[in-house]
Amino acid sequence: MSTPTIQKTFHFTEAPPQGNFSIAERPVPTPGDGEVLVRVEAAALNPADWKITGPELIHVMGVLPLPLGTDGAGVVEVVGSGVTTLSKGDRVVFQGWFAPDKTTFQQYTIVNPAFAAKPVLSRVHELAQPPPFWGAGPSPSAGTPTLILGGASSVGQFAIQAAKLAGHSPIITTASLRNTSLLTSLGATHVLDRSLSVDALVAAIEGALRGTPLLYAYDAITYADTQSVAVRALAPGGKLVTVNPVPLSEEDKKAAEGMTIVFAQGNVHVPFHSAFGAEVFAQLSGWLEKGDIKPNPVGILTKGLAGIQDGLKRMEENKVSAVKLIARPQETP
């Protein structure tokens, strides 16, 4: 079967929050040198897909209408010149980018092979390769505690697994307690009730630490209250990674004096992340094969791309927990 020339896409006809969504048609792009065209079989929804504002979208995309989506899985359809690591028919997981031909809320997209991995179903290896968070030898993080706020979110689930790979212990996380079994299966040693007050959570974290200083925290949600928990729980000189640039209150600024707080842009297409991202993707197939990294539980949206709008609304209304919502673009009516 030949590759079609026209595809269906889910996009904004105007920039949000005022903009409207629609299913429309656009040309199937042609891969350039060092690129492949992937038939998108699954496109994942992210909070950024509804949180990102109109001016931000216009800045990164530059055009209307605006297709979105940056997480995908599919089958290689066309291989561009110079590509040696992928072949037509390969199944891949990949990360897209905020460019019309590289987003995932469409039936076909352009993928950089450096940011794609072949998923495998068997688990035949017994020895794990060290992840790229350190060089040769034992991890410098081994035996040190870490705190992950929002462990049941998609980012939180992978942060827990990365912390386990890096040897952190204990791994303390916050979540709805109904997700305790899932998070402990991923590597969390303590699951604390996210509905507790800031003071109660800080006290519970201190209890789990048993006097050991907390030097690392990852806030996978980053609201004012989650960030407050992190800075109050961290020891002097601690390091905090956030996923939203939320200003600190005056009280929290005092608590955070001497700490390092950084905002993580979680996309490997960002230039200063590309080298690290390529290294991660080079090892991802092995991690999946060994079960060191487990995908999120998923919730499948009906109607293909047409189901995305309802999925985004559910996420905005905080009605999604511990699952990654997935649309199947090829099933679009």
Side-chain angles (χ1 to χ4, degrees):
M1 182 181 297
S2 61
T3 304
T5 58
I6 299 295
Q7 64 171 328
K8 293 180 179 178
T9 179
F10 172 94
H11 63 211
F12 290 110
T13 54
E14 297 177 67
Q18 295 83 13
N20 296 313
F21 304 102
S22 71
I23 303 297
E25 292 185 343
R26 68 183 305 265
V28 173
T30 300
D33 293 347
E35 298 177 332
V36 297
L37 178 71
V38 171
R39 184 175 74 248
V40 183
E41 301 292 345
L45 279 61
N46 285 313
D49 297 324
W50 67 264
K51 289 182 178 179
I52 195 167
T53 66
E56 289 170 329
L57 277 171
I58 294 298
H59 175 70
V60 296
M61 301 285 279
V63 295
L64 286 169
L66 302 171
L68 288 179
T70 56
D71 292 343
V75 179
V76 175
E77 180 79 8
V78 179
V79 178
S81 62
V83 175
T84 59
T85 56
L86 294 175
S87 303
K88 180 178 173 61
D90 282 346
R91 298 165 60 248
V92 292
V93 294
F94 62 92
Q95 189 168 42
W97 180 238
F98 295 108
D101 288 345
K102 296 182 179 180
T103 56
T104 58
F105 290 173
Q106 53 190 340
Q107 293 177 315
Y108 292 86
T109 193
I110 297 296
V111 173
N112 181 340
F115 305 139
K118 300 177 187 179
V120 289
L121 300 179
S122 61
R123 297 179 181 176
V124 298
H125 297 295
E126 296 181 356
L127 299 178
Q129 285 291 108
F133 316 128
W134 61 84
S139 164
S141 303
T144 62
T146 190
L147 169 66
I148 297 165
L149 285 304
S153 67
S154 176
V155 172
Q157 290 181 47
F158 289 115
I160 289 171
Q161 295 180 81
K164 182 180 179 181
L165 275 172
H168 284 286
S169 181
I171 299 172
I172 306 165
T173 191
T174 62
S176 296
L177 294 184
R178 65 177 179 273
N179 296 318
T180 297
S181 295
L182 168 65
L183 302 184
T184 54
S185 74
L186 298 177
T189 59
H190 300 75
V191 180
L192 307 179
D193 187 352
R194 70 173 188 180
S195 67
L196 294 174
S197 68
V198 170
D199 289 342
L201 272 173
V202 172
I205 293 165
E206 291 173 348
L209 290 169
R210 296 184 178 182
T212 304
L214 177 67
L215 296 178
Y216 305 103
Y218 193 111
D219 188 347
I221 304 296
T222 316
Y223 293 147
D225 57 346
T226 59
Q227 188 170 242
S228 184
V229 170
V231 298
R232 297 186 194 190
L234 280 166
K239 298 178 180 181
L240 169 63
V241 179
T242 69
V243 297
N244 286 320
V246 176
L248 290 167
S249 68
E250 290 303 316
E251 184 178 0
D252 288 342
K253 285 181 182 178
K254 294 179 181 179
E257 287 181 1
M259 294 180 183
T260 301
I261 302 177
V262 296
F263 165 60
Q265 163 56 282
N267 195 293
V268 296
H269 292 268
V270 178
F272 51 81
H273 287 172
S274 294
F276 175 78
E279 191 172 358
V280 169
F281 269 98
Q283 299 198 51
L284 181 56
S285 293
W287 291 341
L288 292 169
E289 182 180 9
K290 295 186 290 289
D292 291 334
I293 292 293
K294 300 177 178 65
N296 299 146
V298 300
I300 306 297
L301 300 170
T302 60
K303 303 179 183 178
L305 294 171
I308 290 176
Q309 185 169 358
D310 178 65
L312 294 176
K313 182 179 179 182
R314 287 165 54 191
M315 294 173 68
E316 185 174 3
E317 294 175 349
N318 199 27
K319 295 179 179 179
V320 179
S321 177
V323 298
K324 172 64 81 171
L325 296 183
I326 301 292
R328 290 173 169 161
Q330 305 305 319
E331 297 179 359
T332 308

Tab-separated table of all heavy atoms in Angstrom, residues 207-239:
chain	number	residue	atom	x	y	z
A	207	GLY	N	9.655	12.207	58.763
A	207	GLY	CA	9.545	10.902	59.414
A	207	GLY	C	10.112	9.793	58.555
A	207	GLY	O	10.781	8.881	59.062
A	208	ALA	N	9.862	9.849	57.237
A	208	ALA	CA	10.387	8.815	56.348
A	208	ALA	C	11.903	8.902	56.207
A	208	ALA	O	12.583	7.891	56.009
A	208	ALA	CB	9.731	8.946	54.973
A	209	LEU	N	12.453	10.108	56.329
A	209	LEU	CA	13.901	10.289	56.186
A	209	LEU	C	14.675	9.783	57.397
A	209	LEU	O	15.859	9.439	57.294
A	209	LEU	CB	14.214	11.773	55.967
A	209	LEU	CG	13.785	12.358	54.624
A	209	LEU	CD1	13.899	13.874	54.647
A	209	LEU	CD2	14.620	11.777	53.489
A	210	ARG	N	14.043	9.800	58.562
A	210	ARG	CA	14.680	9.318	59.803
A	210	ARG	C	16.023	10.007	60.065
A	210	ARG	O	17.039	9.386	60.399
A	210	ARG	CB	14.876	7.803	59.764
A	210	ARG	CG	13.574	7.021	59.712
A	210	ARG	CD	13.806	5.534	59.768
A	210	ARG	NE	12.556	4.795	59.775
A	210	ARG	CZ	12.455	3.470	59.866
A	210	ARG	NH1	13.582	2.738	59.937
A	210	ARG	NH2	11.286	2.873	59.867
A	211	GLY	N	16.024	11.314	59.869
A	211	GLY	CA	17.218	12.086	60.196
A	211	GLY	C	18.213	12.255	59.067
A	211	GLY	O	19.179	13.023	59.205
A	212	THR	N	18.018	11.575	57.956
A	212	THR	CA	18.926	11.721	56.814
A	212	THR	C	18.590	12.992	56.045
A	212	THR	O	17.419	13.228	55.729
A	212	THR	CB	18.816	10.512	55.868
A	212	THR	OG1	19.060	9.313	56.604
A	212	THR	CG2	19.827	10.628	54.723
A	213	PRO	N	19.551	13.821	55.728
A	213	PRO	CA	19.249	15.053	54.975
A	213	PRO	C	18.710	14.731	53.586
A	213	PRO	O	19.195	13.811	52.911
A	213	PRO	CB	20.607	15.765	54.896
A	213	PRO	CG	21.488	15.093	55.864
A	213	PRO	CD	20.985	13.712	56.064
A	214	LEU	N	17.717	15.495	53.150
A	214	LEU	CA	17.158	15.355	51.809
A	214	LEU	C	17.820	16.388	50.903
A	214	LEU	O	17.670	17.591	51.106
A	214	LEU	CB	15.648	15.582	51.840
A	214	LEU	CG	14.933	15.536	50.487
A	214	LEU	CD1	14.973	14.132	49.894
A	214	LEU	CD2	13.491	16.019	50.622
A	215	LEU	N	18.543	15.919	49.898
A	215	LEU	CA	19.290	16.821	49.023
A	215	LEU	C	18.697	16.917	47.620
A	215	LEU	O	19.097	17.796	46.845
A	215	LEU	CB	20.747	16.378	48.923
A	215	LEU	CG	21.543	16.446	50.234
A	215	LEU	CD1	22.963	15.929	50.010
A	215	LEU	CD2	21.569	17.868	50.773
A	216	TYR	N	17.755	16.010	47.279
A	216	TYR	CA	17.219	15.996	45.926
A	216	TYR	C	15.694	15.895	45.965
A	216	TYR	O	15.138	15.068	46.697
A	216	TYR	CB	17.771	14.814	45.124
A	216	TYR	CG	19.272	14.756	45.071
A	216	TYR	CD1	19.971	13.857	45.869
A	216	TYR	CD2	19.991	15.599	44.225
A	216	TYR	CE1	21.358	13.803	45.830
A	216	TYR	CE2	21.373	15.552	44.182
A	216	TYR	CZ	22.054	14.649	44.988
A	216	TYR	OH	23.414	14.603	44.947
A	217	ALA	N	15.037	16.724	45.159
A	217	ALA	CA	13.582	16.653	45.036
A	217	ALA	C	13.198	16.959	43.598
A	217	ALA	O	13.827	17.784	42.929
A	217	ALA	CB	12.895	17.626	45.986
A	218	TYR	N	12.147	16.285	43.137
A	218	TYR	CA	11.614	16.498	41.786
A	218	TYR	C	10.127	16.759	41.930
A	218	TYR	O	9.384	15.891	42.386
A	218	TYR	CB	11.855	15.271	40.906
A	218	TYR	CG	11.617	15.509	39.427
A	218	TYR	CD1	12.676	15.507	38.542
A	218	TYR	CD2	10.334	15.730	38.921
A	218	TYR	CE1	12.477	15.734	37.185
A	218	TYR	CE2	10.128	15.959	37.578
A	218	TYR	CZ	11.198	15.946	36.714
A	218	TYR	OH	10.994	16.175	35.380
A	219	ASP	N	9.697	17.955	41.552
A	219	ASP	CA	8.285	18.314	41.640
A	219	ASP	C	7.650	18.124	40.275
A	219	ASP	O	7.756	18.973	39.396
A	219	ASP	CB	8.135	19.763	42.107
A	219	ASP	CG	6.695	20.138	42.404
A	219	ASP	OD1	5.797	19.372	42.030
A	219	ASP	OD2	6.474	21.206	43.006
A	220	ALA	N	6.971	16.993	40.092
A	220	ALA	CA	6.397	16.642	38.793
A	220	ALA	C	5.067	17.331	38.534
A	220	ALA	O	4.478	17.147	37.469
A	220	ALA	CB	6.209	15.125	38.700
A	221	ILE	N	4.591	18.130	39.490
A	221	ILE	CA	3.342	18.869	39.352
A	221	ILE	C	3.614	20.373	39.323
A	221	ILE	O	3.193	21.095	38.434
A	221	ILE	CB	2.376	18.546	40.508
A	221	ILE	CG1	2.121	17.034	40.577
A	221	ILE	CG2	1.078	19.319	40.350
A	221	ILE	CD1	1.414	16.468	39.373
A	222	THR	N	4.309	20.855	40.329
A	222	THR	CA	4.726	22.248	40.514
A	222	THR	C	3.565	23.231	40.518
A	222	THR	O	3.372	24.026	39.588
A	222	THR	CB	5.789	22.676	39.484
A	222	THR	OG1	6.777	21.656	39.344
A	222	THR	CG2	6.485	23.939	39.963
A	223	TYR	N	2.779	23.127	41.562
A	223	TYR	CA	1.874	24.190	41.966
A	223	TYR	C	2.539	24.877	43.155
A	223	TYR	O	3.567	24.420	43.665
A	223	TYR	CB	0.514	23.636	42.358
A	223	TYR	CG	-0.268	23.027	41.215
A	223	TYR	CD1	-1.112	21.938	41.429
A	223	TYR	CD2	-0.194	23.554	39.926
A	223	TYR	CE1	-1.846	21.386	40.385
A	223	TYR	CE2	-0.918	23.014	38.880
A	223	TYR	CZ	-1.746	21.925	39.118
A	223	TYR	OH	-2.469	21.387	38.091
A	224	ALA	N	1.953	25.960	43.630
A	224	ALA	CA	2.554	26.689	44.743
A	224	ALA	C	2.722	25.805	45.966
A	224	ALA	O	3.755	25.854	46.648
A	224	ALA	CB	1.704	27.918	45.075
A	225	ASP	N	1.711	24.946	46.259
A	225	ASP	CA	1.797	24.137	47.474
A	225	ASP	C	2.795	22.998	47.338
A	225	ASP	O	3.511	22.675	48.295
A	225	ASP	CB	0.416	23.619	47.884
A	225	ASP	CG	-0.263	22.804	46.796
A	225	ASP	OD1	0.190	22.845	45.636
A	225	ASP	OD2	-1.265	22.123	47.109
A	226	THR	N	2.881	22.359	46.156
A	226	THR	CA	3.851	21.273	46.013
A	226	THR	C	5.277	21.810	46.077
A	226	THR	O	6.165	21.199	46.675
A	226	THR	CB	3.632	20.510	44.692
A	226	THR	OG1	3.756	21.409	43.578
A	226	THR	CG2	2.256	19.860	44.658
A	227	GLN	N	5.506	22.966	45.464
A	227	GLN	CA	6.831	23.576	45.518
A	227	GLN	C	7.186	23.973	46.946
A	227	GLN	O	8.341	23.842	47.369
A	227	GLN	CB	6.874	24.797	44.603
A	227	GLN	CG	8.241	25.403	44.438
A	227	GLN	CD	8.274	26.438	43.341
A	227	GLN	OE1	8.984	26.292	42.356
A	227	GLN	NE2	7.503	27.498	43.487
A	228	SER	N	6.194	24.413	47.701
A	228	SER	CA	6.428	24.773	49.092
A	228	SER	C	6.841	23.565	49.907
A	228	SER	O	7.751	23.636	50.742
A	228	SER	CB	5.156	25.407	49.682
A	228	SER	OG	5.372	25.839	50.998
A	229	VAL	N	6.178	22.430	49.672
A	229	VAL	CA	6.567	21.195	50.367
A	229	VAL	C	8.023	20.874	50.080
A	229	VAL	O	8.807	20.538	50.983
A	229	VAL	CB	5.667	20.019	49.932
A	229	VAL	CG1	6.226	18.691	50.453
A	229	VAL	CG2	4.243	20.219	50.440
A	230	ALA	N	8.415	20.979	48.810
A	230	ALA	CA	9.772	20.616	48.423
A	230	ALA	C	10.816	21.489	49.102
A	230	ALA	O	11.786	20.982	49.690
A	230	ALA	CB	9.919	20.689	46.906
A	231	VAL	N	10.656	22.814	49.041
A	231	VAL	CA	11.690	23.682	49.590
A	231	VAL	C	11.755	23.590	51.111
A	231	VAL	O	12.828	23.779	51.707
A	231	VAL	CB	11.503	25.146	49.147
A	231	VAL	CG1	11.623	25.260	47.634
A	231	VAL	CG2	10.191	25.719	49.627
A	232	ARG	N	10.631	23.277	51.747
A	232	ARG	CA	10.649	23.154	53.208
A	232	ARG	C	11.207	21.809	53.668
A	232	ARG	O	11.724	21.696	54.780
A	232	ARG	CB	9.249	23.362	53.767
A	232	ARG	CG	8.692	24.761	53.485
A	232	ARG	CD	7.362	24.989	54.169
A	232	ARG	NE	6.696	26.175	53.635
A	232	ARG	CZ	5.614	26.716	54.169
A	232	ARG	NH1	5.064	26.182	55.258
A	232	ARG	NH2	5.059	27.773	53.616
A	233	ALA	N	11.100	20.798	52.792
A	233	ALA	CA	11.611	19.474	53.157
A	233	ALA	C	13.095	19.319	52.837
A	233	ALA	O	13.797	18.531	53.484
A	233	ALA	CB	10.815	18.389	52.442
A	234	LEU	N	13.586	20.064	51.851
A	234	LEU	CA	14.987	19.927	51.448
A	234	LEU	C	15.933	20.459	52.517
A	234	LEU	O	15.650	21.439	53.202
A	234	LEU	CB	15.238	20.670	50.139
A	234	LEU	CG	14.811	19.951	48.859
A	234	LEU	CD1	14.784	20.925	47.680
A	234	LEU	CD2	15.745	18.778	48.549
A	235	ALA	N	17.086	19.821	52.599
A	235	ALA	CA	18.138	20.294	53.498
A	235	ALA	C	18.838	21.495	52.874
A	235	ALA	O	18.738	21.734	51.668
A	235	ALA	CB	19.141	19.161	53.736
A	236	PRO	N	19.537	22.296	53.668
A	236	PRO	CA	20.301	23.420	53.103
A	236	PRO	C	21.219	22.934	51.993
A	236	PRO	O	21.884	21.903	52.111
A	236	PRO	CB	21.105	23.920	54.311
A	236	PRO	CG	20.260	23.550	55.487
A	236	PRO	CD	19.638	22.223	55.139
A	237	GLY	N	21.235	23.684	50.890
A	237	GLY	CA	22.058	23.295	49.751
A	237	GLY	C	21.405	22.264	48.851
A	237	GLY	O	22.043	21.788	47.906
A	238	GLY	N	20.131	21.903	49.123
A	238	GLY	CA	19.454	20.903	48.319
A	238	GLY	C	19.153	21.387	46.912
A	238	GLY	O	19.279	22.569	46.586
A	239	LYS	N	18.735	20.435	46.071
A	239	LYS	CA	18.471	20.729	44.659
A	239	LYS	C	17.045	20.303	44.319
A	239	LYS	O	16.623	19.187	44.642
A	239	LYS	CB	19.467	20.000	43.760
A	239	LYS	CG	20.913	20.427	44.003
A	239	LYS	CD	21.888	19.660	43.129
A	239	LYS	CE	23.324	20.108	43.398
A	239	LYS	NZ	24.299	19.386	42.550
